[in-house]
């Protein structure tokens, strides 16, 4: 057994140092070598857009336009690094904080906010984006992801003979989620079925207020050992390394070699949600220390150093970010609540007597106000 | 909504298609027919493969369809239901067996927060045609957790359909209709009736397996025996008891109408209310404890819709508010012939 | 059984002991008092320590009692309840916080098959005085799973007690009585009422904390407002709505009696029936969907015991048979003032 | 990751070979050296009595005197080996097949059959025997055991300074149970709380009909690695080795060093229960192979070889076994069903209005039969 505490910094795969210098790691280089400066600029752009959107959503919540916002600040490298390794026909099961991954799946980010404005429980068409809906019950979706992966395998989408066509599932969840029975059952089902799935833990070091030490006494990556699942632990603020390990894991899964677990060690720079007050359970010093490891700044420093980030590109991304913010604000404010009667839709796929009776009652009830004017 | 008695097949019966089967055999035959019809139908559960399930309901299916379609899963109910949800998202029709009623609870979260709500959450984009088969209810002399009536714990949750057959014919038809309905269905098999025999027409259902017809059929009650003095509402295991009560009562000059609900979600209230308005006296009989049981909802609805026709309050005969007791006590815990007759007699006093 | 109005303290009120508190503050003070009284009282849950819980109900307790008594657990509800059962077996009194109603379901198996049944299984040898606190019900504009009314899913299961306070006074008293009662208690805190204020006498309850008194007190309903024309039965979050309805109805010349059930298991049926016999008209109001909700049991019981006194059927006003909808729809989903008034008006037409 | 399948024979701790010869293992010898011939004779006697009782219960079931019986045939070494390492103030949480362990905890074996005759859900006083009731919901009790262990630690029963007084929990479960969420959550809670608990898996290779390969692709012992829990895998048919590893694990836990997991690799020689038909899913050859490894015969051979099993001792144990069988039969047949009204007792510790009303109704209802003669 390794003698690592769950927050140990040892044994992390890293290809870009905290100070923005590129590190060589012969084991992982093969999975990063396709990352041209252009690809890295794209990663930087996606991370920047994610952050801009995130900031706008936070401010919309402060203004009362959203009921709640779940920020992914600080986790952009973990999300964009992995998201850019995903392709058709892979399928993604996010938790509820994967806005960066959503961007890589072409989800229209402003549209996602219907959920946080209280208009819908699920905002996008999962099939269209190969990106399942957010799941708020911690860990529940990991079993759906596993079942989906088993079904992909049955459908011949794995080890098909043409590696370019093979697919796998990527399933995201948090450090806190690892304690749930469902997550561990997912490991069981994935392992015995040799399912094509990459379990991707974003260890942002907190489950709301609880540090990872409340969930485990060894690294979360090690959890995989108990189930016979290969694993890797990566610096989650290093977008290159995250991309590389995800590439490796996906190739492994798509090739029919079964599940893999990735722990991306990162930091939740914002509070848990806009309802949370992180000052109650962690220090400014801790936050400051991690601000030094900002994943976007890290890549920026590197791109700058190799002369691949022109002012022109910066300006264009800044303009795009601003436009995204503006569109987000306008979109959210433009939304009207749909007619009340719509809450009776899609409870069942086929009519259900109880629902139909209640829908009819409510319709008459609503009409009675229109007919009689306001009650009482 | 329910104008005909759907227990009797509507299509003309071709002699050759009628076979005598036990209820377990009828479910087995229904599963087989569904698997033959659609390769997307998969069976999943503990010990359903070579063993054929602890009640042998899947007997022979592993042999004929292979381990890829009749899947022995790890021993984890949440995992079974959760992975079935994922498979359904890719177009499969998983039919899950929960080994006994008392072991469904590890899957309660997946059923209640995921399976039931995904269609709503996705605005109808995701359909989860998952069937959860559960051998349920008591009267088999079993140890703890093997005799429970769990229907009320799921009926309150929208998004699920719940049904329970009381005859081999219904078992054969309804399991297939549940499989081909687009919503998740909790399919409650009265285990003490697995060995009851009856005639089964294996042809009639074939034309009624598309989404809408299948859904409508499994939502309807059936007048199992017409009568004029008292309405006895039962489902699953208590239908047989209710019919016995009707026999005995007939000997005492009381005409009992027996309604086999078949469906618990939705409840076919119109059929019950129609009968209640005629008889003015209603008894609901289920094995589950009466307190907060399905009988409460029926009593409330009959009260709401037939109040001025009732000659006496709706009565409920069921289990007591206690854990299912050790089996030597179960005969008196259950709504047996004497207890139901007692209720009928008391109602007839009005 | 319920002859007095237990909302008002029986002991003479010493001026100094009355403080104005929010309901959240009253629960906090009640937890503190219980912890001071008995070192075996432990709090367990997610984020209840330094954070003080997402609703700050445990605010300050970690600081004052330490991490050994206010325990931040791993993120696993089954684990929290299951390990609490083990601790209770060694004489502890674990008070578990489930962060939101919608997250109790992973613990459903532990609650239903273990916590509720261990006393019976052990012939009374094992007592499990575990309290499960759940901020429940809606009306706070939250996202999915954060607004649910779960009481009916537990009320059917014998072995559990279930109660829900509607005032800061009851919150303060009942949390302590739940902790010192020998049976497991599901303590449902109406989260939309956490910030409602009221006077709390912090002394009165002290003499009523032994097993039998505590149990009896948390099982009793309270006449929150006397009236003569209609009986409105409510609990937890809907008591405030019911009182508002009574106000408005009074202006229209209708005298509404409001009963605050306080307890869901057991139900204090005698108090409800006594009122129903006087008014002849009953409306039950809860946030949970009406179908198979607690209102069904109350309607059935009132039907059974006050049938010949009723002028009209018992009415139920509650949520609809659907998943709790997105928050922009919740005002109409919930039994709001207008919908309850509408029911009262319809009843008064009889 | 070890490349062991879940049924591998490698890496098993063994001190007594399948042919009954004593093997030396310097690592484990210290935990077995107190096993004098007398202690081994006791183990043999307890195993023999367990088997006799088991056989009697099986035949009582066949005669219709019991509703069901759950045989522990073949698992006597795993149970007696571990049970004899347990002492005051240790506390045991069995699954439902630990009749041998029950014997080591002085549970009166015939009394246990009230459960299987349908008279009670739980048969003995757990506190009196430091032996919790059987739990039929797979895995549920592992959390109770973990909570109990945490409480023992709080109560100062661990690492108290006097090792002779320290205690720990032993929690038994099966190979199938390892897939349940609850069992994995137990590992989480035990690990982060450093709870004094020994998780004891009896891997009898079957969960009813399902072989262990349906639950895991690596050994079940390895599961512990994922949670940072030390583990050992032992030949479950070797009573000496089982005793030794349990000694070690208990000392570890009692000393405040936290949880340990033991996998005892054994074989369920009977069907799952008297309701099961094992011929449907396993071969006679497999059964025969394992009959060769019978745990009782193995110890008998060894004791014989070292001249420590006199005919006199054999005869006395045989007589004791016969007497136990007779007493079991007589006890079971003597039981009358208690009065029906008792089913209303102990639902709650204090009166509950619903129960009281129903009890009163039932009493009147029963009386009406007595008063009026039989109904209808
Ligand atoms: C079953 C369940 N229990 C509790 C919660 C409340 N809750 C929401 S987020 C959260 C913490 C999750 O932490 P982690 O898994 O690390 O993910 P993160 O939020 O850090 O991304 C909790 C306890 C929940 N959503 N679901
Ligand atoms: C939660 C739950 N699911 C299913 C069952 C039915 N069941 C009883 S024993 C058993 C197999 C258990 O296998 P294992 O854990 O290996 O223990 P063994 O019986 O072999 O001792 C099953 C599936 C149960 N008791 N509890
Ligand atoms: Mg986290
Ligand atoms: Mg086993």
């Amino acid at each position: 057994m390794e003698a690592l505490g769950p927050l140990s910094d040892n044994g992390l795969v890293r290809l870009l140092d905290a100070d923005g210098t590129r590190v060589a790691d012969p084991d992982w280089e093969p999975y990063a070598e396709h990352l041209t400066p252009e690809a890295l600029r794209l990663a930087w752009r996606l991370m920047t857009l994610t952050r801009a959107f995130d900031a706008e959503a936070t401010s919309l919540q402060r203004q009362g336009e959203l009921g709640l916002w779940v920020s992914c600040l600080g986790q952009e490298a973990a999300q964009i690094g992995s998201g850019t390794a995903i392709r058709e026909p892979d399928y993604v099961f996010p938790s509820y904080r994967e806005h960066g991954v959503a961007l890589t799946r072409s989800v229209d980010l402003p549209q996602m906010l219907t959920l946080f404005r209280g208009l819908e429980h699920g905002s996008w068409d999962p099939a269209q984006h190969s990106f399942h809906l957010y799941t708020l019950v911690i860990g529940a979706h990991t079993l759906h992801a596993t079942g989906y992966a088993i079904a992909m395998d049955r459908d011949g989408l794995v080890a098909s003979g043409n590696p370019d066509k093979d697919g796998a599932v990527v399933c995201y969840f948090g450090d806190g989620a690892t304690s749930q029975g469902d997550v561990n059952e997912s490991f069981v089902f994935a392992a015995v079925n040799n399912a094509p799935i990459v379990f991707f833990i974003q260890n942002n070091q907190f489950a709301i207020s609880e540090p990872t030490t409340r969930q485990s006494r060894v690294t979360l990556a090690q959890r995989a050992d108990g189930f016979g699942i290969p694993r890797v632990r990566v610096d989650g603020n290093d977008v290159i390394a995250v991309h590389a390990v995800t590439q490796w894991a996906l190739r492994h899964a798509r090739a029919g070699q079964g599940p893999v677990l990735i722990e991306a060690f990162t930091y939740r720079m914002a509070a848990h949600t806009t309802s949370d007050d992180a000052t109650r359970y962690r220090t400014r010093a801790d936050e400051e220390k991690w601000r030094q490891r900002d994943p976007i700044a890290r890549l920026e420093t590197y791109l700058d150093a190799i002369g691949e980030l022109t002012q022109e590109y910066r300006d264009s991304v800044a303009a795009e970010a601003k436009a995204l913010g503006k569109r987000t604000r306008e979109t959210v404010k433009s939304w009207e609540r749909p007619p009340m009667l719509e809450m009776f839709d899609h409870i069942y796929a086929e009519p259900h007597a109880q629902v139909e009776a209640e829908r009819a009652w409510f319709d008459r009830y609503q009409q009675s106000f229109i007919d009689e004017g306001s009650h009482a | 909504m329910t104008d005909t008695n759907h227990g009797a097949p509507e299509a003309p019966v071709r002699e050759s298609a009628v076979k005598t089967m036990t209820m377990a055999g009828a479910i087995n035959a229904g599963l087989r027919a569904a698997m033959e019809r659609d390769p997307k139908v998969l069976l999943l559960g503990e010990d359903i493969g070579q063993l054929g399930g602890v009640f042998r309901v899947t007997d022979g299916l592993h042999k004929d369809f292979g381990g890829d379609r009749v899947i022995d899963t790890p021993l984890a109910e949440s995992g079974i239901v959760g992975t079935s949800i994922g498979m359904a998202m890719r177009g499969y029709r998983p039919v899950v067996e929960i080994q006994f009623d008392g072991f469904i609870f590890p899957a309660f979260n997946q059923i209640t927060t995921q399976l039931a709500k995904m269609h709503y959450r996705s605005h109808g984009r995701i359909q989860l045609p998952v069937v959860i088969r559960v051998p349920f209810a008591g009267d088999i002399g079993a140890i703890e957790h093997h005799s429970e009536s769990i229907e009320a714990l799921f009926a309150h949750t929208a998004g699920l359909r719940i049904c329970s057959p009381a005859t081999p014919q219904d078992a054969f038809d309804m399991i297939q209709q549940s499989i081909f309905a687009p919503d998740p269905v909790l399919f409650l098999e009265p285990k003490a009736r697995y060995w009851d025999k009856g005639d089964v027409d294996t042809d009639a259902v074939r034309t009624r397996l598309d989404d809408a017809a299948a859904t409508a059929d499994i939502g309807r009650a059936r007048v199992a025996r017409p009568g004029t003095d008292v309405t006895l509402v039962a489902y699953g295991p208590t239908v047989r008891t209710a019919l016995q009560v009707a026999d005995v009562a007939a000997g005492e000059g009381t005409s009992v109408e027996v309604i086999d609900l078949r469906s618990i979600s939705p409840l076919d209230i119109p059929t019950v209310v129609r009968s209640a308005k005629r008889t003015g006296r209603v008894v609901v009989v289920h094995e589950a404890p009466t307190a907060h049981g399905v009988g409460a909802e029926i009593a409330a609805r009959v009260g709401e819709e037939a109040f001025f026709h009732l000659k006496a309050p709706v009565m409920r005969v069921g289990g007591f508010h206690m854990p299912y007791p050790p089996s030597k006590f179960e005969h008196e815990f259950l709504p047996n012939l004497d207890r139901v007759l007692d209720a009928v007699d008391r109602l007839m006093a009005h």
Side-chain angles (χ1 to χ4, degrees), chain A, chain B:
Chain A
M1 208 181 8
E2 293 169 44
L4 295 175
L7 302 178
S8 161
D9 216 25
N10 290 339
L12 290 177
V13 175
R14 187 177 285 143
L15 295 173
L16 195 59
D17 245 335
D19 63 7
T21 45
R22 189 73 163 72
V23 231
D25 182 331
D27 285 347
W28 295 101
E29 227 42 78
Y31 301 95
E33 63 195 8
H34 58 287
L35 291 176
T36 58
E38 198 189 327
L40 292 177
R41 264 197 306 275
L42 173 67
W44 181 80
R45 177 176 150 254
L46 293 174
M47 291 199 284
T48 305
L49 291 176
T50 301
R51 186 166 289 187
F53 169 70
D54 194 279
E56 185 60 41
T58 301
S59 96
L60 282 166
Q61 197 283 334
R62 301 262 179 259
Q63 294 157 32
E65 298 289 343
L66 299 177
L68 180 82
W69 180 240
V70 182
S71 169
C72 66
L73 190 72
Q75 298 178 218
E76 294 88 352
Q79 299 193 6
I80 302 299
S82 56
T84 51
I86 297 164
R87 60 167 202 211
E88 293 305 322
D90 299 328
Y91 204 94
V92 177
F93 284 77
S95 176
Y96 46 76
R97 201 187 285 284
E98 282 68 45
H99 323 315
V101 185
L103 182 62
T104 70
R105 306 308 300 157
S106 317
V107 171
D108 184 49
L109 294 182
Q111 197 58 40
M112 150 184 304
L113 298 177
T114 55
L115 195 164
F116 296 94
R117 198 173 163 88
L119 289 164
E120 304 190 291
H121 287 327
S123 298
W124 55 87
D125 180 351
Q128 187 190 331
H129 301 282
S130 301
F131 187 71
H132 185 58
L133 301 175
Y134 282 174
T135 299
L136 302 182
V137 178
I138 300 288
H141 65 298
T142 61
L143 285 166
H144 313 159
T146 302
Y148 197 95
I150 293 169
M152 281 179 81
D153 188 17
R154 295 182 77 91
D155 290 344
L157 294 183
V158 173
S160 67
N162 179 352
D164 288 343
K165 298 240 160 143
D166 293 338
V169 166
V170 182
C171 178
Y172 291 88
F173 51 98
D175 42 294
T178 60
S179 293
Q180 284 285 0
D182 273 5
V183 173
N184 292 281
E185 292 187 11
S186 296
F187 297 155
V188 169
F189 279 73
V192 298
N193 287 289
N194 203 43
I197 181 167
V198 177
F199 293 110
F200 194 102
I201 305 176
Q202 284 176 82
N203 181 354
N204 63 9
Q205 303 186 46
F206 290 93
I208 308 188
S209 72
E210 298 191 16
T212 313
T213 46
R214 293 306 306 158
Q215 318 290 343
S216 183
R217 60 184 198 182
V218 291
T219 68
L220 299 177
Q222 277 170 266
R223 179 67 54 86
D225 299 356
F227 301 84
I229 296 177
R231 42 96 169 180
V232 56
R233 195 153 177 270
V234 64
D235 181 339
N237 285 10
D238 171 352
V239 72
I240 302 178
V242 171
H243 183 90
V245 301
T246 312
Q247 276 286 2
W248 165 75
L250 275 168
R251 283 187 210 165
H252 180 102
R254 291 176 192 137
Q257 295 178 274
V260 176
L261 183 140
I262 295 172
E263 178 193 356
F265 188 65
T266 178
Y267 189 81
R268 196 195 71 206
M269 287 168 69
H272 172 67
T273 66
T274 47
S275 300
D276 181 37
D277 173 8
T279 64
R280 285 187 159 243
Y281 53 82
R282 68 186 190 190
T283 62
R284 288 263 173 242
D286 197 38
E287 291 181 1
E288 190 46 45
K289 182 180 127 199
W290 280 91
R291 218 184 313 278
Q292 300 306 317
R293 306 196 191 175
D294 185 311
I296 302 186
R298 191 188 296 196
L299 180 59
E300 204 169 308
T301 308
Y302 172 63
L303 283 174
D304 243 357
I306 61 172
E308 290 286 354
L309 204 62
T310 62
Q311 191 55 42
E312 195 186 335
Y313 190 79
R314 280 177 189 274
D315 290 347
S316 86
V317 171
E320 193 182 357
K322 203 171 158 200
L324 175 61
K326 182 156 177 284
R327 187 165 66 84
T328 299
R329 203 160 48 249
E330 288 168 1
T331 307
V332 165
K333 293 191 176 175
S334 76
W335 285 325
E336 302 278 325
R337 202 209 51 228
M340 273 297 166
L341 215 52
E342 286 191 13
M343 71 176 162
F344 293 91
D345 292 347
H346 306 304
I347 302 168
Y348 293 88
E350 290 291 336
H352 183 282
Q354 183 79 26
V355 173
E356 297 317 318
E358 291 180 354
R359 187 207 306 267
W361 179 87
F362 187 78
D363 195 16
R364 285 197 308 277
Y365 170 76
Q366 267 198 323
Q367 288 296 332
S368 73
F369 286 88
I370 297 166
D371 299 348
E372 304 167 24
S374 165
H375 182 98
Chain B
M1 181 192 287
T2 313
D3 294 318
T4 54
N5 178 336
H6 287 270
E10 289 167 58
V13 179
R14 289 193 292 112
E15 199 58 35
S16 64
V18 177
K19 299 183 187 118
T20 302
M21 293 185 188
T22 62
M23 183 182 287
I27 299 170
N28 179 281
L31 291 171
R32 178 180 292 275
M35 294 181 78
E36 279 165 357
R37 184 185 179 92
D38 184 349
K40 293 286 189 183
V41 175
L42 307 176
L43 311 190
L44 301 106
E46 297 157 8
D47 306 295
I48 65 166
Q50 277 181 267
L51 185 62
V54 293
F55 289 105
R56 307 292 183 266
V57 171
T58 56
D59 194 26
L61 300 176
H62 181 270
K63 183 166 151 285
D64 293 345
F65 294 94
D68 268 3
R69 294 196 57 202
V70 182
I71 303 165
D72 273 337
T73 62
L75 206 180
E77 287 77 8
S78 189
I80 299 170
V81 174
T83 54
S84 292
I85 290 172
M87 298 178 92
M89 287 176 58
R90 269 197 77 83
Y92 287 91
R93 294 186 173 271
V95 183
V96 164
E97 175 175 302
I98 298 291
Q99 201 160 76
F100 282 92
D101 35 63
F103 306 136
I104 198 168
F105 301 118
F108 200 88
N109 180 43
Q110 283 290 340
I111 297 171
T112 303
T113 73
Q114 303 303 313
L115 184 62
K117 294 184 176 29
M118 193 84 83
H119 191 67
Y120 195 67
R121 186 180 298 147
S122 70
H123 290 264
R125 290 187 185 109
I126 298 175
Q127 290 189 355
L128 297 179
V130 177
V131 175
I132 302 182
R133 293 180 41 237
V134 191
F136 93 120
D139 211 10
I140 63 159
I143 54 175
E144 203 186 353
H145 311 292
H146 293 68
S147 306
E148 292 176 26
S149 292
I150 55 174
E151 59 276 17
L153 301 178
F154 293 98
H156 191 45
T157 296
L160 302 174
R161 294 180 188 272
I162 307 174
C163 64
S164 182
T167 65
Q169 179 72 62
D170 269 351
F172 178 81
D173 293 351
M174 288 164 70
I175 186 63
Q176 293 181 71
Q177 295 183 311
S178 297
I179 291 170
F180 293 110
D183 292 311
V185 179
L186 188 63
F187 190 83
L188 301 176
E189 304 173 1
K191 64 171 91 77
R193 303 289 174 263
Y194 270 149
W195 305 281
D196 284 10
K197 285 188 181 162
D199 280 351
V200 176
D201 178 333
T202 56
D203 263 3
V205 75
R206 292 212 185 138
T207 58
R208 314 267 313 151
L209 290 182
D210 67 291
D211 294 358
T215 299
D217 284 1
I218 56 173
R220 284 201 191 96
R222 171 179 82 96
V223 177
R225 172 182 171 131
T228 52
D229 296 329
V230 179
T231 302
L232 255 183
V233 181
Y235 53 87
T238 56
V239 172
R240 191 173 77 179
T241 314
L243 290 169
Q244 288 165 349
V245 168
D247 270 348
V248 177
E252 295 176 346
T254 303
S255 167
V256 172
E257 173 147 309
V258 175
I259 294 180
D260 172 4
L261 280 181
R262 298 170 81 250
S263 176
I264 292 152
S265 182
L267 285 169
D268 183 354
I269 294 295
T271 296
V272 177
V273 166
R274 211 165 20 242
S275 177
K277 285 185 176 169
R278 274 196 293 107
T279 62
R281 300 182 189 90
V282 180
V283 186
V284 190
V285 188
H286 54 56
E287 288 196 8
T290 51
H292 303 274
V294 167
E297 179 65 23
I298 295 170
R301 290 294 295 276
V302 170
E304 286 162 17
E305 301 186 24
F307 187 73
F308 297 103
H309 297 78
L310 291 181
K311 302 189 173 101
V314 176
M315 291 190 67
R316 297 178 284 164
V317 186
F320 301 109
H321 186 68
M322 61 177 64
Y324 198 94
S327 61
K328 293 281 188 208
F329 297 86
E330 76 183 331
H331 181 256
E332 296 299 311
F333 171 85
L334 293 172
N336 57 38
L337 189 69
D338 282 335
R339 280 179 55 207
V340 182
L341 269 174
D342 175 70
V344 168
D345 286 353
R346 279 187 284 150
L347 263 189
M348 286 307 292
H350 290 278

